[in-house]
Amino acid sequence: MNAETEQLHRPGKMRLHTKILLGLLAGATAGVVTNLITGGGASTAEFIRLVTEPVGKMWLAGLIMVVIPLIVSTLALGVAGLGDIRRLGRIGLVTVLGFLGLTTLSTALGLFMVNTINPGEGLSPEVTSRLMETYRGEVEGAMGLSQGVFNIDILVKIVPRNPVAAMANGDMLAVIFFTLMIGVALTLIPREKAKPMVGFLESVASITTAIIAVIMKLAPIGVFCLIFSVTARFGFDLMLNLLKYVLTVVGSLLIFQVVGYPLILKFVAGLNPMEFFRKARVVMLTAFSTSSSNATLPTTLRVAQDELGIPREVAGFVLPLGATMNMNGTALFEGATVLFLAQVFGVDLSLGSQLIVVLMSVVTAIGVAGVPGGSIPLLMMVLTMVGVPMEGIAIILGVDRILDMCRTVLNVSGDMVTSTIVHRFAWKGGPAPDAPAGD
Ligand code: ASP
């Protein structure tokens, strides 16, 4: 990791965030120009299908490929490094309070904005039915992934009967649970028995970090292809119909990012927000271009430790958990979208129902997979709960990718903000002297 950091900072060499930004701008410009010239026609669609989409997807898959070993190694080492269960309890409590606090605040902001702006009123019925028709197939696909209703099984599945199957299926909450158990067990067994496993996990963490460093070198190409694929075939006319909704969601996300987080950083974490965001640039750019908290996790971990000075034990605990469980932007988007669709369908949501929307957005965001569009199946579940037709999701699917890019920036920023809060309030006295991971 240090070798990578050194390389990234070598004078005269372009820094990684600059390269990613260039890839992003070039991809967006090329995509928009292509869209304007060809109107997103058949040849453009073929080019995207055969060239930019596969390249972008392969790059993204390369990052996601190492997420399970990265989460297992960093989280287990993080917990083991805390040394005893009381410290874990304190850090765990502040982490969960941070996650829940930030998510509730962001969701409330989203609901407040939609209640004030009313983007769902005035959307013409022709536009609504045309969109529902166009995206019918995709909705049916997402229905298969949605559980339909929120039930107790979701909770039961957090404890995996078969951890290997959980890893194979990408059941992140179950993987996290199993990993936490390994971390805790490492602190309970004699030091010499823990040592080989800790060594193994450290080796896995180093190997994944080395792989990520190689993949991130290709970031400008991957980002170019991902952004080109979105913008070249994006229905900008669709965006015009939904402009009020898109601006409400993006505006709310922006307010939370540039006002909410800085206030929390300054008054809760005691940090200079400008400095924080300057150091976190590469993380935000990666989140924006990949739309995936999981794909961004390696970069988030590196920046938190190397740039923000968060101890490995804290970063290794808070960030892997956050990439799965803490989705401030997603919860804001879910709350705002449920209310918007309720307005479109003329479903009057009472204050009580809106509180249920806040609660369910916060709870379901915990289970959202940190991948592009991960929230859609859970959003459908919340819609059903408050009596808004879940097929209505079709109305926003066409603009979802752009919203996804923006909300993912909040998701990962919220993880880093929480890690600074945990660092300040729960990390007392450095690593435990007898922690097995401290070797
Ligand atoms: N793309 C988001 C993430 O990975 C999840 C979502 O809101 O769909 O953080």
Side-chain angles (χ1 to χ4, degrees), residues 261-263 265-266 271-278:
Y261 285 142
L263 286 175
L265 281 166
K266 190 160 172 49
L271 294 177
N272 176 347
M274 295 294 269
E275 186 72 1
F276 175 91
F277 284 114
R278 195 181 56 73

Side-chain angles (χ1 to χ4, degrees), residues 287 290-296 323 326-327 329-331 333-334 368-376 400 403-405 407-409 411-412:
T290 59
S291 296
S292 169
S293 303
N294 279 353
T296 312
N326 183 43
M327 304 236 170
T330 294
F333 154 79
E334 281 190 22
V368 165
V371 294
S375 52
I376 299 300
D400 185 54
L403 303 179
D404 200 1
M405 291 159 68
R407 64 185 182 249
T408 308
V409 174
N411 291 346
V412 297

Side-chain angles (χ1 to χ4, degrees), residues 379-422:
L379 177 54
M380 293 167 86
M381 201 150 85
V382 186
L383 286 171
T384 317
M385 282 196 70
V386 290
V388 179
M390 68 151 97
E391 298 76 15
I393 194 91
I395 296 174
I396 60 112
L397 276 187
V399 290
D400 185 54
R401 186 55 187 251
I402 300 280
L403 303 179
D404 200 1
M405 291 159 68
C406 301
R407 64 185 182 249
T408 308
V409 174
L410 256 79
N411 291 346
V412 297
S413 301
D415 301 340
M416 286 187 295
V417 171
T418 309
S419 72
T420 63
I421 296 174
V422 173

Side-chain angles (χ1 to χ4, degrees), residues 171-429:
D171 291 339
M172 294 316 262
L173 291 178
V175 172
I176 284 174
F177 182 85
F178 181 65
T179 308
L180 286 175
M181 288 293 116
I182 293 183
V184 170
L186 282 172
T187 67
L188 298 177
I189 60 176
R191 199 179 161 83
E192 64 281 5
K193 290 237 162 78
K195 224 172 159 190
M197 183 62 169
V198 170
F200 171 72
L201 289 170
E202 282 184 333
S203 179
V204 172
S206 305
I207 290 168
T208 47
T209 308
I211 295 176
I212 290 153
V214 174
I215 296 172
M216 283 307 281
K217 284 203 196 318
L218 301 173
I221 300 170
V223 166
F224 177 96
C225 290
L226 286 175
I227 302 298
F228 180 92
S229 308
V230 173
T231 47
R233 69 163 158 224
F234 189 70
F236 287 100
D237 47 341
L238 182 72
M239 180 100 124
L240 284 181
N241 285 317
L242 294 172
L243 198 61
K244 220 168 153 193
Y245 162 73
V246 171
L247 289 182
T248 308
V249 175
V250 174
S252 312
L253 292 170
L254 201 64
I255 292 176
F256 206 74
Q257 182 80 16
V258 303
V259 182
Y261 285 142
L263 286 175
I264 292 162
L265 281 166
K266 190 160 172 49
F267 295 109
V268 183
L271 294 177
N272 176 347
M274 295 294 269
E275 186 72 1
F276 175 91
F277 284 114
R278 195 181 56 73
K279 290 176 174 163
R281 274 179 305 199
V282 65
V283 179
M284 295 188 287
L285 277 171
T286 310
F288 185 77
S289 16
T290 59
S291 296
S292 169
S293 303
N294 279 353
T296 312
L297 179 61
T299 314
T300 323
L301 273 165
R302 182 182 64 75
V303 168
Q305 293 173 75
D306 295 358
E307 309 264 340
L308 300 172
I310 307 289
R312 181 178 88 164
E313 291 80 358
V314 174
F317 180 76
V318 179
L319 298 175
L321 285 185
T324 300
M325 297 173 62
N326 183 43
M327 304 236 170
N328 310 152
T330 294
L332 186 161
F333 154 79
E334 281 190 22
T337 304
V338 171
L339 213 59
F340 163 75
L341 291 176
Q343 290 174 354
V344 171
F345 288 103
V347 179
D348 199 14
L349 292 184
S350 62
L351 190 64
S353 306
Q354 295 212 18
L355 286 177
I356 294 185
V357 173
V358 173
L359 186 71
M360 288 317 295
S361 302
V362 172
V363 171
T364 53
I366 295 175
V368 165
V371 294
S375 52
I376 299 300
L378 285 118
L379 177 54
M380 293 167 86
M381 201 150 85
V382 186
L383 286 171
T384 317
M385 282 196 70
V386 290
V388 179
M390 68 151 97
E391 298 76 15
I393 194 91
I395 296 174
I396 60 112
L397 276 187
V399 290
D400 185 54
R401 186 55 187 251
I402 300 280
L403 303 179
D404 200 1
M405 291 159 68
C406 301
R407 64 185 182 249
T408 308
V409 174
L410 256 79
N411 291 346
V412 297
S413 301
D415 301 340
M416 286 187 295
V417 171
T418 309
S419 72
T420 63
I421 296 174
V422 173
H423 183 203
R424 175 162 187 194
F425 291 103
W427 176 252
K428 295 203 185 93

Side-chain angles (χ1 to χ4, degrees), residues 46-244:
E46 273 307 273
F47 180 72
I48 294 172
R49 192 176 69 80
L50 295 173
V51 182
T52 55
E53 205 164 61
V55 175
K57 275 187 179 165
M58 279 161 78
W59 179 71
L60 202 58
L63 284 174
I64 294 181
M65 160 178 93
V66 285
V67 162
I68 297 260
L70 185 70
I71 287 189
V72 171
S73 56
T74 48
L75 188 57
L77 286 172
V79 174
L82 296 177
D84 85 66
I85 205 96
R86 276 182 310 249
R87 296 188 82 186
L88 175 65
R90 196 171 59 220
I91 290 200
L93 184 70
V94 178
T95 303
V96 170
L97 287 181
F99 287 170
L100 290 180
L102 289 178
T103 314
T104 311
L105 283 177
S106 65
T107 316
L109 174 70
L111 253 65
F112 171 77
M113 295 288 281
V114 176
N115 273 314
T116 314
I117 300 173
N118 289 321
E121 281 166 16
L123 193 69
S124 81
E126 299 99 78
V127 174
T128 311
S129 49
R130 191 158 51 88
L131 290 173
M132 303 241 327
E133 199 47 50
T134 315
Y135 290 95
R136 187 193 299 266
E138 287 176 38
V139 172
E140 275 159 16
M143 268 180 190
L145 295 172
S146 174
Q147 305 236 359
V149 282
F150 188 78
N151 61 33
I152 198 75
D153 271 2
I154 296 177
L155 209 66
V156 172
K157 280 195 192 142
I158 293 179
V159 184
R161 281 163 172 268
N162 180 344
V164 179
M167 287 182 202
N169 298 331
D171 291 339
M172 294 316 262
L173 291 178
V175 172
I176 284 174
F177 182 85
F178 181 65
T179 308
L180 286 175
M181 288 293 116
I182 293 183
V184 170
L186 282 172
T187 67
L188 298 177
I189 60 176
R191 199 179 161 83
E192 64 281 5
K193 290 237 162 78
K195 224 172 159 190
M197 183 62 169
V198 170
F200 171 72
L201 289 170
E202 282 184 333
S203 179
V204 172
S206 305
I207 290 168
T208 47
T209 308
I211 295 176
I212 290 153
V214 174
I215 296 172
M216 283 307 281
K217 284 203 196 318
L218 301 173
I221 300 170
V223 166
F224 177 96
C225 290
L226 286 175
I227 302 298
F228 180 92
S229 308
V230 173
T231 47
R233 69 163 158 224
F234 189 70
F236 287 100
D237 47 341
L238 182 72
M239 180 100 124
L240 284 181
N241 285 317
L242 294 172
L243 198 61
K244 220 168 153 193

